[in-house]
Amino acid sequence: MRESLDTDDRLSSAEVKQALEAMSPADWRRVMLFARQAFSGIGSASHEDLLQEACAKLLGGERVWHRGYAAVPAIASVLDSMASNARKREANGPINGDTVVASRDVMDESEVLVAYVEPVDTLTPEIAASDAEQVARLEELLADDMEAALVAWEWAAGRRGQEAAEALRMDMHQYEAARKRLTRKLEMMEDERRKG
């Protein structure tokens, strides 16, 4: 497991700033696409604001940018984590967005909408640590394969096949090649997990 406080393994704020400034317009389009896809159907914040927040978290040191990781996967990882946290808050929070609530004047005085709501959080420290280790290992394996990393993000967003290829603006041959490389790396992780 990586030591999260090891400063030799993380970029400093100045290095993060330099890496962000060095990103090409194509890189910014990719991370904007990640932000849009990762947060589709979650909350009301714009994907531009969420991308800004992810960059601020990296600059401020709240999120770690590990040395050796390219800008797009580093930012996409933060966006994915933010989206995952937002989904968990929506799923486990006290408010159900799908519940239809009648206006007060239509309800009978004796009816009570909510007597008591207690949020349920099924995430344990062990699960969080295991998930973080697996994500870090996958990022490590995909650091040199941007196309496979993009396919992984699409899968995480629930898109596969033609839908994922179209979202990534890849032809199916390019998508299939990246998918096969990703699958091999996932199988390698599974073998490591079984042996470890």
Side-chain angles (χ1 to χ4, degrees), residues 11-52:
L11 297 182
S12 68
S13 291
E15 290 171 313
V16 170
K17 182 176 188 249
Q18 185 178 13
L20 290 174
E21 289 172 349
M23 287 175 60
S24 70
D27 289 338
W28 284 111
R29 281 192 298 277
R30 283 188 197 100
V31 293
M32 190 65 73
L33 176 66
F34 279 136
R36 187 177 298 121
Q37 292 170 345
F39 286 90
S40 65
I42 304 174
S44 60
S46 74
H47 55 278
E48 291 94 350
D49 290 342
L50 296 164
L51 178 56
Q52 175 87 20

Side-chain angles (χ1 to χ4, degrees), residues 154-155 159-173 175-176 179:
E154 284 302 306
W155 286 7
R159 287 178 284 277
R160 298 212 177 212
Q162 185 69 37
E163 183 183 10
E166 288 173 2
L168 295 171
R169 297 187 181 123
M170 290 182 178
D171 62 48
M172 282 309 289
H173 295 294
Y175 173 81
E176 280 300 312
R179 182 195 63 77

Side-chain angles (χ1 to χ4, degrees), residues 27-85:
D27 289 338
W28 284 111
R29 281 192 298 277
R30 283 188 197 100
V31 293
M32 190 65 73
L33 176 66
F34 279 136
R36 187 177 298 121
Q37 292 170 345
F39 286 90
S40 65
I42 304 174
S44 60
S46 74
H47 55 278
E48 291 94 350
D49 290 342
L50 296 164
L51 178 56
Q52 175 87 20
E53 183 181 343
C55 291
K57 287 176 184 281
L58 286 166
L59 283 165
E62 185 180 337
R63 297 295 177 119
V64 176
W65 186 329
H66 292 285
R67 200 168 295 286
Y69 283 90
V72 174
I75 296 169
S77 173
V78 174
L79 288 167
D80 187 54
S81 176
M82 289 169 55
S84 175
N85 291 342

Side-chain angles (χ1 to χ4, degrees), residues 55-136:
C55 291
K57 287 176 184 281
L58 286 166
L59 283 165
E62 185 180 337
R63 297 295 177 119
V64 176
W65 186 329
H66 292 285
R67 200 168 295 286
Y69 283 90
V72 174
I75 296 169
S77 173
V78 174
L79 288 167
D80 187 54
S81 176
M82 289 169 55
S84 175
N85 291 342
R87 281 189 186 86
K88 287 175 187 169
R89 280 193 303 273
E90 281 189 0
N92 298 327
I95 298 173
N96 181 349
D98 297 327
T99 302
V100 177
V101 180
S103 66
R104 191 166 192 179
D105 58 345
V106 175
M107 294 182 62
D108 183 12
E109 296 270 337
S110 64
E111 292 182 88
V112 177
L113 283 177
V114 178
Y116 181 72
V117 177
E118 185 173 323
V120 177
D121 189 3
T122 58
L123 182 66
T124 65
E126 294 81 13
I127 292 171
S130 174
D131 289 351
E133 287 174 15
Q134 290 179 40
V135 168

